[in-house]
Amino acid sequence: MKNNFYPLKSIKFAFASLATFLFLSTAAIAQVPTASVTTDTTCVGTPITLTLDNANGIIQWQSNIGAGWVNETNPGFDSSVYVVMPVQDIDYRAYVVGASTDTTNVLNIHVIIVAPPTNTTVDSTRCGIGPVNLSASGTGQLLWYETPTATEFINQGNTYTPFINGTTTYYVANTDSAGGAGMGSSVVITELNVGSPADMLEIQNVSAAPVDVTGWTVAISGSYSDINNVNTSLQTLSGTMLPGDMMAWSDAGGVGTTWGANMLWNPGNFPTFTGWAIILDDVGEIVDFVPMEWPATNIQGMNATIAGYSITIGTEWVGDGVDHGTLPPGSSLQRMGNSDNNDLSDFMEGIDNGLITNPNIVMPFPGGVCESPRIPVTAYSLAPPAVTTTTSPLAICQTDTVTFSASSVNPDYIYTWDPPTFLNTIIGANVIAVPTNTITYVLLATDTAADCVTSDTFFVDVGIIPSAGTANAPVDTVCVGATTAISVVSSVGNIQWQINDGTGWVDATGLS
């Protein structure tokens, strides 16, 4: 009996110990507060959102610009959602005090600060109206605006030649590409052809501004089974892509430039046929990433080394990759819409059209570049010698004539009239017009030697020639107190009936 008893007791004790172990292990598993950010690259002064998950206790966001951690004091510093507007590279973390004290992971935020352009305007003064030549210099592409807060630029480049009607101030900003990283779309992957007639990759600048892509890298996958395998050929970009500019690479026989190594893209389904393409900027930030067929778990687990940078995907793609299935010959996966949603909803199947803008894409996409502060550039218009003008008469009837005259203390003015309609000449200080309808003429007084121009406008009100028409009455003799109807036909202009009882004509009232 003893021999049977001890083993049984031993077994009970083992189960009790196991139960205790499991209980303690469960209690020890605690969710660590985790911080995340909408983007780790931002333009200076642009708000970004910090989010804290799994926080149980009092929250205190902290920041560090290199001199040590300090408590944040702006609104939201003690909330799980904190909006910040950094003006320099900075790290953030959250300090959570509860049952235990936890410090979250550190968020490294890169702030793109763009230096204002150097104002080197030339020929920015002229006499009167006309073109002026403005110029500025900067390290990136320059954008010109009509106002300090305008959302649409009116010119791009180092020079701008506007036509001014008077002294006018414009505003110019220097730009730097923000790449991807949540700053909006600049250069994105727009088309993927998998096998027919050749594997092909197309990228395009879908932003409203030029993008300097010098030092950027385009890479693709190098394996159907290993998501971290990178194709042996990398494309290093240089120069500037203007809005709408495209580049393409393919296997031999396809559009664009030959990639250099087998692109390893073929139609099929996971896990047999997979692929991805990526664009990195000159500091290794993801500008755009598009996977094909890979499930979301594989995409989020990706940790590849590309051009010396360790690349993980994070929010640069959400969900499963684009399903290319078995694309029929002559078709491809094409980007559509007007924004980069970083998921498979961005793509559709369409007719292969490499290096031609996709028919269902709408450009420009928002965002894509960071701007410097805008600096004012003033184009000065000096007052030209005055011109004295006359119009005689100011209002006429059709077939009548009107005379325009111009004179000035400047004897070198040449007078030009526009439009030429109804004029006896378009050049001269005195012209005659016989307009048949109301019209406005413009006079330009130009001194070519002094590069001086002024202008004036002439409005002529032209009335229609009236016609009395023919009056009719059904009877010409009536009894006293009786009524009769009178009428007029073929009249032009306003009608006023008049009565003459033998003492003279007077306007009639009460008649219609």
Side-chain angles (χ1 to χ4, degrees), residues 212-265:
D212 184 356
V213 296
T214 301
W216 288 23
T217 300
V218 180
I220 61 174
S221 53
S223 168
Y224 294 130
S225 57
D226 181 3
I227 196 169
N228 293 317
N229 190 300
V230 182
N231 190 284
T232 56
S233 293
L234 299 177
Q235 310 303 325
T236 302
L237 309 184
S238 63
T240 298
M241 293 184 71
L242 299 177
D245 278 358
M246 291 181 284
M247 298 182 189
W249 300 267
S250 65
D251 286 337
V255 299
T257 304
T258 301
W259 182 265
N262 184 5
M263 296 184 75
L264 289 176
W265 290 350

Side-chain angles (χ1 to χ4, degrees), residues 15 36 146 226 244 317 330 332 344 468 495:
F15 272 100
S36 60
E146 288 184 330
D226 181 3
W317 189 268
S332 62
L344 53 81
I495 297 173

Side-chain angles (χ1 to χ4, degrees), residues 30-35 51-61 78-81 94-100 102-104:
Q31 291 182 308
V32 179
T34 304
T51 303
L52 187 61
D53 294 323
N54 306 322
N56 293 305
I58 299 173
I59 299 171
Q60 174 62 64
W61 284 98
D78 56 354
S79 171
S80 60
V81 177
Y95 193 73
V96 182
V97 180
S100 62
D102 294 300
T103 302
T104 64

